[in-house]
Amino acid sequence: MNRALRVTAWVVAVVVLLAVVFLVYANIVMQGTRSAALQVWRDDRVSVRDAGDSVVMTPTGQPDDKGIVFIPGAKVDPYAYLATFRQVVASGTTVVITKPTLNLAFFDTRPLSTFEAHAPTIRTWAVGGHSLGGVRACQLAKDADGLLLLGSYCANDISRSYIQVLSVSGSRDGLSTPAKVEAARHLLPSTATMVEVQGANHADFGAYGDQPGDRTATISRGDARAQISAAIERWVRVLPPGTDLR
């Protein structure tokens, strides 16, 4: 009996220790670059508010009645994407950047409607994500009018869907490499728009500094961000009007 109790105690201790280690790991995020975020906060064309479960970016000018629910990459601070969507929002599109459970998209089971509720007047909604966030976005694509992948690709097959898809990748991406993006291309609809930004790497899709495992970019962060934003703006303009029956 004593031996069984000791074994049980050890097992419980190990499980608790592993849980603590995981929680510490999950909560150490790649922080957004302060200067880049501050530039967005000071931009009078863009309004930014923390909604608790997400960061909501809305245009202060004329809205285009379209929105994007965007899921961050694994352990990346949601505020790191303010700079990515600054120009997109300034042009009229609402962007809701989620705060994934434990900072990992796969642990977040909340539906898109949770985040769409922060902008109830929007009718056309796309879902998107960076890296692991994009993989999760693919799983939610059936409930959206569009799918946006930044440095990411699908693990599930949506090739028979009529959804409008934009995939923006970087030629110097060391994580979602061009080879991986190409290998998963068949999982997307044949109509998907594929854009590869020459010289951009994985971290160029946010503003959070360098990322382990990534390759060195051969263009500036500003240049990469401008090309990424331009691709998203072009895509948003052709998104079809949303409906209540998706």
Side-chain angles (χ1 to χ4, degrees):
M1 180 65 71
N2 288 337
R3 182 175 183 277
L5 288 174
R6 287 197 300 271
V7 170
T8 300
W10 273 106
V11 169
V12 171
V14 170
V15 170
V16 171
L17 178 61
L18 290 175
V20 170
V21 170
F22 175 76
L23 287 173
V24 171
Y25 162 80
N27 284 285
I28 299 176
V29 300
M30 287 177 275
Q31 294 290 342
T33 304
R34 181 178 174 81
S35 60
L38 285 175
Q39 289 179 26
V40 182
W41 280 99
R42 294 166 178 163
D43 191 331
D44 60 9
R45 302 172 302 167
V46 179
S47 173
V48 180
R49 66 182 176 92
D50 194 311
D53 60 6
S54 55
V55 180
V56 182
M57 303 177 68
T58 53
T60 57
Q62 182 64 38
D64 61 11
D65 296 323
K66 296 178 181 180
I68 302 171
V69 173
F70 190 79
I71 306 170
K75 300 176 57 181
V76 179
D77 185 348
Y79 284 94
Y81 298 99
L82 294 186
T84 304
F85 289 103
R86 177 183 183 181
Q87 187 57 45
V88 175
V89 176
S91 296
T93 302
T94 295
V95 176
V96 180
I97 307 171
T98 71
K99 296 181 180 179
T101 305
L102 294 176
N103 298 304
L104 295 166
F106 280 161
F107 289 105
D108 198 337
T109 59
R110 292 169 292 183
L112 286 180
S113 57
T114 298
F115 306 104
E116 293 172 350
H118 293 304
T121 61
I122 301 298
R123 291 291 302 275
T124 299
W125 279 104
V127 62
H130 172 224
S131 196
L132 184 64
V135 178
R136 176 59 179 154
C138 292
Q139 298 173 340
L140 297 170
K142 66 182 186 302
D143 298 319
D145 302 301
L147 172 64
L148 171 65
L149 299 175
L150 299 184
S152 187
Y153 47 87
C154 287
N156 59 304
D157 190 344
I158 63 168
S159 61
R160 296 186 179 182
S161 171
Y162 292 103
I163 193 170
Q164 296 289 326
V165 179
L166 170 64
S167 172
V168 186
S169 58
S171 68
R172 298 285 296 175
D173 194 322
L175 286 83
S176 297
T177 64
K180 291 179 180 178
V181 172
E182 178 58 30
R185 174 64 180 85
H186 69 285
L187 298 175
L188 299 177
S190 60
T191 55
T193 300
M194 310 296 290
V195 175
E196 183 177 88
V197 180
Q198 295 300 312
N201 65 6
H202 198 71
D204 279 333
F205 293 100
Y208 56 91
D210 298 329
Q211 185 166 355
D214 205 1
R215 300 177 69 191
T216 302
T218 56
I219 60 174
S220 70
R221 284 274 158 84
D223 188 1
R225 188 174 298 140
Q227 293 188 55
I228 293 165
S229 295
I232 297 173
E233 286 185 80
R234 289 193 299 269
W235 173 72
V236 166
R237 284 197 289 269
V238 299
L239 280 178
T243 65
D244 294 326
L245 299 174
R246 291 173 174 167

